[in-house]
Amino acid sequence: MNKRDNLTLVSDQYEYTMSQVYLDNEMQETKVVFDVFYRVNPLNSGYSIAAGLDEIIDYIKNFRIGENEKEFLRKLGFKENMLNYLKNLKFTGDIWAIPDGTMIFPNEPIITVRANAIEAQIIETALLAAFNHASLITTATKRIVNEAGPRAVMEFGARRSSGIYTSVDSSKYGYLGGCSGTSNLQTGYEEGCKTLGTMAHSFIEMFDSEYEAFLAYAKTYPDSSVFLIDTYDTLRSGLPNAIRVMKEYLIPNGHKPGGIRIDSGDLAYLTKEARKILDDEGLQDATICVSNGLKAETIRDLIQQGACIDSFGVGDNIASPMALQGGVYKLVATVKNGEYIPKIKLSNDPIKTTNPGFKNVYRFYDKNTGKAIGDVITLHNEIVDFNGYTLIDPIHPERQKEIKNYTVRKLQVPIFEGGELVYNQPSLMERRDYCISEFETLYPEITRLMNPEKYIVDLSEDLLELKTNMINSHTESVRKLRR
């Protein structure tokens, strides 16, 4: 059996060592509630985007420990009672999640797990790996696509990702974030999204001349010829040879002139010069694509500088952006006799103090504009009066927003109930369309690259009171110990 057929051991060892202790102390059936959330928006952004449910669903559906895995754990020193328990392992709990493509914000419960202690503990690493990677890629892509405006962005990042398996997911979440297509054939094969690709510099070097390389490509792909013109000299060699093939072969044979791609140099200057030369040659329909380590800020600057660009090819900064900061999985409640017992983690760093309890998260939308106004996190059984509401930033309470004439949406939806999948995951194309419409609900102040406005995520009065009381109680306990 391929070792990758079963990924249940995508789990840090301490998940299993803690589970061994739970079992030894007959705590394995204790019901617990964990939240997946993150603390800081990635890339200095004003938002992030939920993603990763595909991998989470597949992981939970195939959650099991086989004989080979069991033998591996035995060699690590786990006891026979643990190995016997794992022999019948399957996920029997409940999972709620905010759907892929939804705009999300720090400290909101994105995924909530309610299960017995061992099941909930073991799945931590896999859930975080899926969410952190997918959300980061989707968010990084959306920032790039937003700056590109009406210009297409093609995802070229497979070779820049952190491995073969990761490359497929990176391309998939690049498409979810708004790319028009991907260069990754495996992603196109699995997901049905558009695939794109032309030539590399090595292709041109294979021929005796640049012109011969362009002509050979045009003869094979006359209806999709995009010539990479910066192998030798962009304006003095590449562009003249591309124009020659367009005018001497493509157009006389009834084809459109195609386009050019520039992968190095001063892209603003080169595209403006290339556009002028193409237009002077009567090739107004020839398109210009650029690549070369592009990121959202670079694209913004190119457009502001008047660069003449029809489309972008982006690889590195979709497949390998900075890591999502602070994506975590924290215990927020246990269940005893049907009652939820809230749990809290305290820290000298206030950003690491968790919001306790089994919770819901709601989003307010302005009825007139359809724009998202703010979110509120509540306790799961809390009745909130939504006839009128004042949103308060819990970190900076002076930031308040009294709202009226709005609609309210509960963000999390059921994914698994009693271990059974109840969620029908939309196709990648459907999620991409949903992500586009979701992004349109954010005000431009939230989505701008520089110093974005902070989106308010409020805590309900009951949740804030619970959190404050728990902090005060623990603080007082520490004081008594020090007396």
Side-chain angles (χ1 to χ4, degrees), residues 155-435:
E155 188 277 317
F156 287 174
R159 67 189 61 199
R160 306 298 187 196
S161 62
S162 301
I164 295 176
Y165 296 94
T166 306
S167 76
V168 179
D169 292 336
S170 296
S171 299
K172 174 172 70 174
Y173 291 113
Y175 188 78
L176 172 60
C179 283
S180 59
T182 176
S183 64
N184 194 330
L185 291 178
Q186 185 68 26
T187 304
Y189 170 71
E190 291 183 7
E191 302 293 341
C193 55
K194 183 179 180 181
T195 58
L196 307 149
T198 54
M199 63 179 70
H201 295 108
S202 60
F203 171 82
I204 296 162
E205 295 166 10
M206 286 286 293
F207 292 81
D208 291 336
S209 71
E210 200 170 38
Y211 171 75
E212 290 175 84
F214 291 167
L215 181 60
Y217 194 90
K219 287 180 177 180
T220 301
Y221 300 104
D223 294 316
S224 57
S225 290
V226 176
F227 305 111
L228 183 59
I229 67 171
D230 68 321
T231 302
Y232 304 117
D233 189 299
T234 302
L235 296 180
R236 291 187 296 181
S237 172
L239 184 58
N241 281 316
I243 289 173
R244 183 180 170 190
V245 172
M246 292 176 188
K247 297 185 76 171
E248 293 182 1
Y249 180 78
L250 288 174
I251 294 174
N253 286 284
H255 304 289
K256 293 182 179 180
I260 60 171
R261 177 163 73 94
I262 305 173
D263 189 50
S264 62
D266 185 335
L267 298 179
Y269 167 76
L270 291 172
T271 57
K272 285 188 279 189
E273 289 297 306
R275 183 76 272 163
K276 182 178 183 302
I277 293 169
L278 288 168
D279 290 350
D280 288 345
E281 292 287 341
L283 297 170
Q284 289 85 357
D285 291 339
T287 60
I288 300 176
C289 174
V290 299
S291 48
N292 188 29
L294 300 173
K295 55 185 179 180
E297 291 81 0
T298 310
I299 292 173
R300 175 201 60 197
D301 292 347
L302 285 170
I303 293 171
Q304 288 178 351
Q305 293 163 21
C308 298
I309 300 170
D310 297 292
S311 63
F312 297 91
V314 183
D316 306 48
N317 292 296
I318 288 178
S320 299
M322 296 168 55
L324 183 70
Q325 299 180 50
V328 293
Y329 182 85
K330 296 298 182 184
L331 179 70
V332 294
T334 57
V335 184
K336 186 174 183 180
N337 298 324
E339 180 183 354
Y340 290 93
I341 312 299
K343 301 292 181 177
I344 190 170
K345 176 191 179 298
L346 301 181
S347 173
N348 290 329
D349 185 353
I351 197 173
K352 291 190 173 183
T353 296
T354 58
N355 292 320
F358 182 23
K359 300 177 290 295
N360 291 317
V361 56
Y362 296 90
R363 178 157 299 162
F364 298 90
Y365 295 90
D366 187 293
K367 279 187 178 180
N368 294 325
T369 65
K371 298 292 187 183
I373 309 169
D375 295 357
V376 61
I377 306 171
T378 74
L379 295 172
H380 78 287
N381 59 353
E382 188 175 348
I383 299 175
V384 181
D385 183 4
F386 287 135
N387 293 318
Y389 202 86
T390 300
L391 285 163
I392 303 173
D393 185 334
I395 305 299
H396 300 284
E398 71 278 5
R399 294 183 68 238
Q400 299 188 13
K401 186 184 297 184
E402 188 174 345
I403 58 174
K404 299 177 180 179
N405 195 34
Y406 54 80
T407 59
V408 182
R409 171 190 171 198
K410 185 178 179 181
L411 293 185
Q412 284 190 337
V413 299
I415 309 296
F416 285 87
E417 291 182 355
E420 298 298 320
L421 179 65
V422 297
Y423 181 65
N424 184 19
Q425 175 78 314
S427 70
L428 180 59
M429 277 64 77
E430 289 171 330
R431 282 177 281 157
R432 181 179 182 273
D433 291 342
Y434 167 74
C435 184

Side-chain angles (χ1 to χ4, degrees), residues 4-276:
R4 290 292 180 97
D5 288 345
N6 181 354
L7 295 178
T8 304
L9 290 183
V10 175
S11 180
D12 292 303
Q13 184 164 328
Y14 73 81
E15 316 290 5
Y16 282 79
T17 58
M18 290 187 290
S19 296
Q20 177 73 71
V21 177
Y22 298 153
L23 193 62
D24 288 349
N25 288 273
E26 299 183 350
M27 298 170 62
Q28 67 272 21
E29 295 305 319
T30 301
K31 284 282 192 286
V32 296
V33 180
F34 278 85
D35 282 343
V36 171
F37 61 95
Y38 71 101
R39 297 186 176 111
V40 180
N41 282 321
L43 307 168
N44 296 315
S45 177
Y47 63 94
S48 188
I49 302 175
L53 278 178
D54 274 355
E55 287 68 51
I56 291 170
I57 289 170
D58 285 345
Y59 174 80
I60 295 296
K61 285 170 61 178
N62 295 287
F63 189 65
R64 68 188 188 281
I65 292 293
E67 287 301 317
N68 292 337
E69 291 82 12
K70 194 168 80 168
E71 187 58 33
F72 170 76
L73 293 170
R74 178 179 282 112
K75 291 177 181 177
L76 291 179
F78 286 98
K79 299 178 183 179
E80 287 303 313
N81 66 337
M82 179 68 168
L83 300 176
N84 288 333
Y85 180 88
L86 294 175
K87 180 174 61 177
N88 300 313
L89 182 70
K90 64 173 291 190
F91 186 77
T92 61
D94 309 309
I95 296 178
W96 296 265
I98 296 177
D100 282 2
T102 306
M103 305 299 116
I104 53 176
F105 301 93
N107 299 313
E108 295 181 330
I110 313 302
I111 303 166
T112 297
V113 175
R114 182 176 63 189
N116 72 46
I118 292 180
E119 291 173 23
Q121 200 70 72
I122 288 175
I123 68 175
E124 172 181 352
T125 304
L127 263 62
L128 285 176
F131 165 71
N132 287 341
H133 177 255
S135 178
L136 175 63
I137 299 299
T138 307
T139 305
T141 303
K142 179 56 71 176
R143 284 163 50 83
I144 288 168
V145 170
N146 186 46
E147 293 305 313
R151 304 162 188 84
V153 175
M154 296 167 283
E155 188 277 317
F156 287 174
R159 67 189 61 199
R160 306 298 187 196
S161 62
S162 301
I164 295 176
Y165 296 94
T166 306
S167 76
V168 179
D169 292 336
S170 296
S171 299
K172 174 172 70 174
Y173 291 113
Y175 188 78
L176 172 60
C179 283
S180 59
T182 176
S183 64
N184 194 330
L185 291 178
Q186 185 68 26
T187 304
Y189 170 71
E190 291 183 7
E191 302 293 341
C193 55
K194 183 179 180 181
T195 58
L196 307 149
T198 54
M199 63 179 70
H201 295 108
S202 60
F203 171 82
I204 296 162
E205 295 166 10
M206 286 286 293
F207 292 81
D208 291 336
S209 71
E210 200 170 38
Y211 171 75
E212 290 175 84
F214 291 167
L215 181 60
Y217 194 90
K219 287 180 177 180
T220 301
Y221 300 104
D223 294 316
S224 57
S225 290
V226 176
F227 305 111
L228 183 59
I229 67 171
D230 68 321
T231 302
Y232 304 117
D233 189 299
T234 302
L235 296 180
R236 291 187 296 181
S237 172
L239 184 58
N241 281 316
I243 289 173
R244 183 180 170 190
V245 172
M246 292 176 188
K247 297 185 76 171
E248 293 182 1
Y249 180 78
L250 288 174
I251 294 174
N253 286 284
H255 304 289
K256 293 182 179 180
I260 60 171
R261 177 163 73 94
I262 305 173
D263 189 50
S264 62
D266 185 335
L267 298 179
Y269 167 76
L270 291 172
T271 57
K272 285 188 279 189
E273 289 297 306
R275 183 76 272 163
K276 182 178 183 302

